C-alpha cells in the first residue's frame, strides 16, 4: 500500500464485489408517493399494506372485466402503487386483456361464418 504525504494509506482495492463476474442491475427506487405513504403508516403504527382502498369499493381483483375495469386501470398512477397493489394491477390488466381477446375472437368467428349463412350475390333473400 502506498502512503501519501497525508499519512492515510491509499486503497487500491476495488469497491466492487470480489466475485469475478459482476452484474450491473439498476436499482429500482420507490416513488415519492409510496415513500410518503409508507412513512405515514410507520409513524402512525399501522401496517404498511394499504387496506383503506379495500373498504372503499371493489378491489381490482374482484372488479368484473369490462369498461369499468379498463377505466380504473387507465386512471391509476402505477408509480404510486405498493408492490402488492402493483401485483394486483398487473393481474387485473391480464384479465382485461384476456376478456378483450375473447371478444375479438368471437367477433372474428361471427364475421368468418356470416358469409356462409348470407345469400350469395344475385340471389334473392326469402
Amino acid at each position: 500500500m502506498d502512503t501519501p504525504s497525508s499519512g492515510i494509506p491509499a486503497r487500491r482495492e476495488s469497491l466492487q464485489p470480489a466475485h469475478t463476474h459482476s452484474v450491473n442491475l439498476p436499482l429500482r427506487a420507490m416513488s415519492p408517493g409510496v415513500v410518503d405513504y409508507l412513512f405515514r403508516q410507520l409513524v402512525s403504527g399501522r401496517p404498511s399494506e394499504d387496506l383503506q382502498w379495500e373498504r372503499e369499493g371493489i378491489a381490482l381483483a374482484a372488479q368484473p372485466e369490462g369498461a369499468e375495469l379498463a377505466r380504473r386501470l387507465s386512471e391509476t398512477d402505477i408509480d404510486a402503487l405498493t408492490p402488492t397493489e402493483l401485483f394486483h394491477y398487473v393481474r387485473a390488466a391480464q384479465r382485461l386483456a384476456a376478456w378483450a381477446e375473447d371478444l375479438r375472437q368471437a367477433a372474428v368467428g361471427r364475421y368468418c361464418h356470416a358469409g356462409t349463412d348470407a345469400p350469395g350475390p344475385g340471389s334473392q333473400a326469402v
Side-chain angles (χ1 to χ4, degrees):
M1 233 183 255
D2 297 329
T3 304
S5 60
S6 67
I8 300 172
R11 294 187 68 179
R12 293 185 183 225
E13 303 92 36
S14 171
L15 297 176
Q16 293 293 332
H19 60 278
T20 56
H21 63 291
S22 66
V23 178
N24 293 325
L25 297 175
L27 294 176
R28 185 174 169 111
M30 289 187 279
S31 71
V34 171
V35 172
D36 180 57
Y37 169 78
L38 292 173
F39 178 74
R40 285 184 281 119
Q41 293 296 96
L42 177 67
V43 169
S44 67
R46 293 188 302 244
S48 62
E49 291 302 320
D50 184 4
L51 303 175
Q52 183 65 32
W53 63 273
E54 290 179 356
R55 291 188 287 265
E56 292 178 356
I58 298 174
L60 280 180
Q63 179 75 51
E65 294 82 5
E68 180 62 16
L69 180 57
R71 183 196 62 78
R72 288 182 65 190
L73 292 173
S74 69
E75 292 177 358
T76 299
D77 178 11
I78 61 172
D79 291 331
L81 299 178
T82 64
T84 301
E85 291 169 336
L86 187 57
F87 173 81
H88 289 295
Y89 179 93
V90 170
R91 293 288 307 266
Q94 289 171 333
R95 285 189 302 108
L96 185 64
W99 175 77
E101 179 60 19
D102 289 345
L103 290 177
R104 187 192 69 79
Q105 287 180 3
V108 167
R110 184 171 181 111
Y111 178 79
C112 291
H113 292 102
T116 59
D117 298 338
S123 63
Q124 294 184 1
V126 179

